[in-house]
Amino acid sequence: MASSALSRLSNLGGHIDPTGRENSVGGLIKVAPGVSEALSLGRAVVALESTIISHGMPYPQNLKTAKEVEAIVKENGAVPATIAILDGIPCVGLSAEELEKLAILGTKAQKTARRDVAHVVANGGNGATTVSATMFLAYMVGIPVFVTGGIGGVHRHGEHTMDISSDLTELGRTPVAVISAGVKSILDIPRTLEYLETQGVCVAGYKTNDFPAFFTETSGFKVPCRVDTPEDCARLIDANIKLKLGSGVLISVPIPKEHSASGSIIESSIQRALKEARHRSITGNAETPFLLARVNELTGGASLASNIALVKNNALVGAKVSVALSQLREH
């Protein structure tokens, strides 16, 4: 299986889309024709990760949500590019059939961070990309804007465990703008912000001076800078790229007020879920899916509803930012 996947990779370079542009990068990454055409014409494209599809919620809700998020991106003038690895081939932009395949696979698809990309490709496997892997593949094909729910961070007690998400180091070395609802409140937020500062990552609040905490609008911590419009975001991203800083930009968008669950209810559920995870020795990349699922159970589904609402809102903002960036580059 692995050898056949690698041989397919070597043959990808010959595929040409109707625009005449090769829809692969170095024969390794398959780019959907619509995404390839948009990139070649300088149009707005928004990268989307795929772990929310595989590990974020069950089928068919995951497929429905993925389609709705892509539709929001399209409705706001950009081309969605959901990223995943299918049968050993990194794909930037999924067809309806590929999206459904990934949704049905669910947790059978490997949760793929940057460190796992080569392994999944070499073995012809199926991988749902996390923030770090999605950023890497988006940068490889030239997509500057990426939308997710929340990024990873420094885990609670990370000063002892050294459990720090590769999302943070990826932001430190890959110049892609990430639109997210801050970091999940299951993490150590002040240490996460400190680590981002160490990595040289510009962290901006969208229409806010407060860093959001995923399910809730504020974490109680301030952001270093503020942006109030998609055009502000575009200028920030453009300056970051032109200066060749080499790091990403994190644009943190608070969850819409009407969907913001009670912070105290979520927090007490998180504390309970953290104790259960420690008691059951659940660590590493298995911890976040466990905690999110358990918190959803403990909050009677309120946290999952909030999760879906904030991803959709981020897709709306991300599409507008991507459009503003493409317009800025035209002038």
Side-chain angles (χ1 to χ4, degrees):
M1 180 180 174
S3 60
S4 63
L6 289 173
S7 67
R8 284 200 302 279
L9 280 172
S10 65
N11 292 331
L12 271 176
H15 291 245
I16 307 292
D17 76 13
T19 67
R21 177 185 167 92
E22 287 194 3
N23 67 350
S24 68
V25 178
L28 290 176
I29 301 174
K30 178 184 167 190
V31 185
V35 174
S36 181
E37 180 181 12
L39 289 171
S40 68
L41 297 173
R43 291 180 183 156
V45 179
V46 172
L48 301 165
E49 47 109 337
S50 48
T51 47
I52 190 170
I53 302 169
S54 62
H55 291 70
M57 58 197 80
Y59 180 83
Q61 187 178 21
N62 57 355
L63 180 62
K64 179 174 180 284
T65 301
K67 286 181 175 177
E68 288 170 349
V69 169
E70 286 201 348
I72 289 166
V73 172
K74 288 177 188 171
E75 286 161 11
N76 287 278
V79 175
T82 300
I83 295 177
I85 301 172
L86 296 174
D87 299 320
I89 299 173
C91 301
V92 176
L94 302 184
S95 66
E97 294 76 23
E98 288 168 334
L99 204 59
E100 184 159 21
K101 175 181 177 177
L102 186 66
I104 292 169
L105 273 171
T107 54
K108 290 177 184 172
Q110 181 173 337
K111 188 179 177 186
T112 306
R114 173 193 261 256
R115 69 161 189 193
D116 309 304
V117 172
H119 173 70
V120 175
V121 168
N123 287 285
N126 295 304
T129 53
T130 65
V131 169
S132 64
T134 307
M135 282 184 74
F136 169 73
L137 292 168
Y139 177 65
M140 286 278 287
V141 302
I143 301 174
V145 177
F146 161 45
V147 163
T148 186
I151 64 164
V154 179
H155 281 253
R156 299 191 188 199
H157 312 293
E159 68 273 25
H160 302 298
T161 64
M162 294 301 290
D163 191 349
I164 300 168
S165 171
S166 62
D167 297 353
L168 304 186
T169 44
E170 199 64 40
L171 273 159
R173 64 181 167 189
T174 303
V176 168
V178 179
I179 316 289
S180 100
V183 300
K184 299 177 181 75
S185 45
I186 57 177
L187 301 169
D188 186 323
I189 293 174
R191 282 191 172 92
T192 297
L193 288 169
E194 285 290 347
Y195 196 85
L196 284 167
E197 190 269 333
T198 300
Q199 290 290 316
V201 178
C202 176
V203 179
Y206 188 70
K207 298 183 179 180
T208 182
N209 296 310
D210 298 308
F211 189 69
F214 197 65
F215 294 121
T216 52
E217 294 171 79
T218 180
S219 63
F221 298 93
K222 299 295 182 186
V223 288
C225 70
R226 173 176 175 146
V227 282
D228 284 301
T229 65
E231 291 72 25
D232 285 348
C233 297
R235 284 190 291 272
L236 178 63
I237 296 163
D238 190 53
N240 186 67
I241 292 169
K242 284 178 177 172
L243 287 165
K244 300 188 188 304
L245 285 163
S247 51
V249 174
L250 178 61
I251 296 171
S252 46
V253 182
I255 186 171
K257 276 188 172 64
E258 64 271 25
H259 295 291
S260 183
S262 165
S264 59
I265 293 171
I266 296 255
E267 188 59 34
S268 62
S269 300
I270 286 167
Q271 292 298 337
R272 182 172 163 185
L274 280 165
K275 284 179 186 172
E276 290 178 18
R278 281 196 294 273
H279 181 70
R280 294 167 60 175
S281 299
I282 297 169
T283 58
N285 67 3
E287 185 177 33
T288 298
F290 168 79
L291 291 174
L292 289 176
R294 190 70 186 106
V295 169
N296 186 52
E297 289 172 12
L298 292 169
T299 60
S303 65
L304 180 58
S306 297
N307 192 349
I308 292 170
L310 67 84
V311 170
K312 289 180 178 178
N313 186 57
N314 291 350
L316 170 69
V317 174
K320 289 180 176 178
V321 169
S322 185
V323 168
L325 182 60
S326 67
Q327 290 172 344
L328 180 66
R329 289 175 163 182
E330 282 176 7
H331 296 101

